[in-house]
C-alpha cells in the first residue's frame, strides 16, 4: 500500500479512489485534502475513466477532518479560521468536480462514517454499506459546523427533519437504520462488500456508459430547476442519445431478440 493519503488506480475504464489514512480513521489532513482535489480534477478530466469506486483502507470509512491536525494549525497562526476556510474550499472543489462529473460513482462503506465523512460518502451516486458500518455527525462535539457538502447532501438523501436530527443530536445510525432513512443504497455482509461494489461498477462499464452519465446529470439537475425545464432537457438529451452509435447498436440488438 502506498504512503499517499489518498490513492488512485485506473484500470480498464474503472477508477478506484481509496482513502488511505487508516491510522487516523481516514480523517483528512491538509496533505490529504490537496490530494483529494487533485484526484478529483484528474478523474473528471480523463476520458478513459467511465466509472468510479470510492473506498477506504482500514476499519473506518472516513471520520471527516483530522481534529489533531486542526489543533496543530490553530497553534501555528493567528488566522487559523481563514486557514480552515481555505482547506474546506479545496475539499469542496473536489466534491463538486466528482458530483458534477459524467462518471457514475459507487462508495463502499466498510465501517464508521462521521462528520465530513458523510460528505465524502454522499458524493457517490450509490452507497453500499457493510452491516458493520455506522453513521454520525458529531460536529457539535468539537464546536464545529457541517462542511464537505453535508448541509446540502445530507438533506437531499434523508430529508430535512432527519438531517437535522443527525446534526443536532448525538445519534449514531446503524447500517440498517441508514438504509431505512435512505442514507445508503443497500447493506450487505462485510465479506460481500467489495464484491458487490465491483459488480455494480462492472455493470456500468459493460453498459451504455454515456447514457449513465447523462442520467446522472439529469437527476442531479432536476432538484434545482422547474419541472418544465427538466422536461425540455430530457427531450433534448434522449434525442441526442438516440443518435449515438452505442444506442443504435443496443436498440438493434434489443429488437432482434
Amino acid at each position: 500500500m502506498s504512503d499517499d493519503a489518498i490513492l488512485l488506480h485506473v484500470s480498464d475504464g474503472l477508477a478506484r479512489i481509496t482513502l488511505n489514512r487508516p491510522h487516523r480513521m481516514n480523517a483528512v489532513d491538509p496533505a490529504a485534502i490537496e490530494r483529494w482535489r487533485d484526484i478529483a480534477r484528474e478523474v473528471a478530466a480523463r476520458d478513459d475513466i467511465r466509472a468510479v469506486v470510492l473506498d477506504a483502507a482500514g476499519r473506518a470509512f472516513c471520520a471527516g477532518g483530522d481534529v489533531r491536525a486542526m489543533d496543530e494549525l490553530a497553534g501555528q497562526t493567528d488566522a487559523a479560521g481563514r486557514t480552515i476556510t481555505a482547506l474546506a474550499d479545496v475539499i469542496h472543489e473536489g466534491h463538486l468536480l466528482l458530483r458534477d462529473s459524467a462518471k457514475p460513482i459507487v462508495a463502499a462503506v466498510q465501517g464508521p462514517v462521521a462528520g465530513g465523512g458523510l460528505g465524502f460518502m454522499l458524493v457517490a451516486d450509490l452507497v453500499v454499506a457493510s452491516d458493520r458500518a455506522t453513521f454520525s455527525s458529531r460536529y457539535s462535539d468539537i464546536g464545529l459546523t457541517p462542511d464537505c457538502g453535508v448541509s446540502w447532501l445530507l438533506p437531499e438523501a434523508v430529508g430535512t427533519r432527519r438531517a437535522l436530527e443527525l446534526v443536532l443530536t448525538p445519534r449514531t445510525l446503524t447500517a440498517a437504520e441508514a438504509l431505512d432513512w435512505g442514507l445508503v443504497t443497500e447493506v450487505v455482509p462485510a465479506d460481500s462488500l467489495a464484491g458487490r461494489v465491483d459488480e455494480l461498477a462492472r455493470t456500468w462499464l459493460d453498459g451504455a456508459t454515456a447514457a449513465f452519465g447523462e442520467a446522472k446529470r439529469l437527476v442531479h439537475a432536476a432538484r434545482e430547476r422547474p419541472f418544465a425545464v427538466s422536461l425540455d432537457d430530457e427531450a433534448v438529451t434522449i434525442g441526442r442519445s438516440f443518435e449515438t452509435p452505442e444506442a443504435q447498436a443496443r436498440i438493434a440488438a434489443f429488437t432482434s431478440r
Side-chain angles (χ1 to χ4, degrees):
M1 184 71 75
S2 167
D3 291 333
D4 285 339
I6 303 177
L7 309 177
L8 174 64
H9 176 73
V10 180
S11 177
D12 298 325
L14 177 65
R16 188 177 300 273
I17 303 172
T18 301
L19 306 179
N20 188 40
R21 301 188 75 229
H23 60 292
R24 298 294 298 150
M25 294 182 67
N26 294 310
V28 293
D29 65 354
I33 288 168
E34 296 282 348
R35 176 74 172 152
W36 173 255
R37 188 268 320 279
D38 293 346
I39 285 175
R41 285 176 174 174
E42 181 175 349
V43 168
R46 285 179 60 168
D47 292 336
D48 62 319
I49 294 175
R50 306 194 308 279
V52 181
V53 169
L54 173 61
D55 60 14
R59 70 177 187 86
F61 178 75
C62 183
D66 189 326
V67 179
R68 186 178 299 168
M70 292 182 193
D71 187 49
E72 292 173 357
L73 284 172
Q76 293 172 3
T77 174
D78 294 331
R82 289 198 294 274
T83 300
I84 295 297
T85 295
L87 289 170
D89 284 339
V90 174
I91 294 174
H92 295 167
E93 180 185 341
H95 280 32
L96 190 61
L97 284 166
L98 291 174
R99 174 79 172 189
D100 287 351
S101 78
K103 285 86 172 179
I105 304 171
V106 57
V109 178
Q110 82 282 24
V113 185
L118 294 168
F120 278 87
M121 177 187 82
L122 291 171
V123 164
D125 304 299
L126 300 180
V127 178
V128 182
S130 156
D131 53 9
R132 299 175 185 171
T134 60
F135 307 84
S136 59
S137 167
R138 319 306 293 188
Y139 281 104
S140 60
D141 288 1
I142 52 173
L144 296 180
T145 54
D147 65 342
C148 295
V150 169
S151 66
W152 197 95
L153 294 167
L154 186 59
E156 181 194 43
V158 304
T160 300
R161 291 294 180 197
R162 282 179 161 171
L164 286 169
E165 180 178 354
L166 208 57
V167 300
L168 296 180
T169 75
R171 180 164 183 176
T172 296
L173 300 180
T174 65
E177 289 171 328
L179 180 62
D180 179 62
W181 278 31
L183 185 60
V184 303
T185 308
E186 62 181 283
V187 174
V188 299
D191 59 2
S192 300
L193 179 62
R196 176 56 179 151
V197 167
D198 285 349
E199 179 185 9
L200 287 168
R202 183 56 55 189
T203 298
W204 290 332
L205 293 176
D206 293 342
T209 306
F212 287 128
E214 289 285 22
K216 170 181 174 175
R217 181 187 64 77
L218 285 167
V219 170
H220 285 321
R223 183 181 174 195
E224 302 174 15
R225 61 190 187 185
F227 183 39
V229 175
S230 286
L231 290 175
D232 289 342
D233 194 355
E234 284 185 355
V236 170
T237 301
I238 197 170
R240 183 170 63 240
S241 299
F242 184 80
E243 294 178 346
T244 64
E246 184 176 44
Q248 291 294 309
R250 288 177 176 274
I251 291 168
F254 181 87
T255 57
S256 68
R257 289 200 295 267

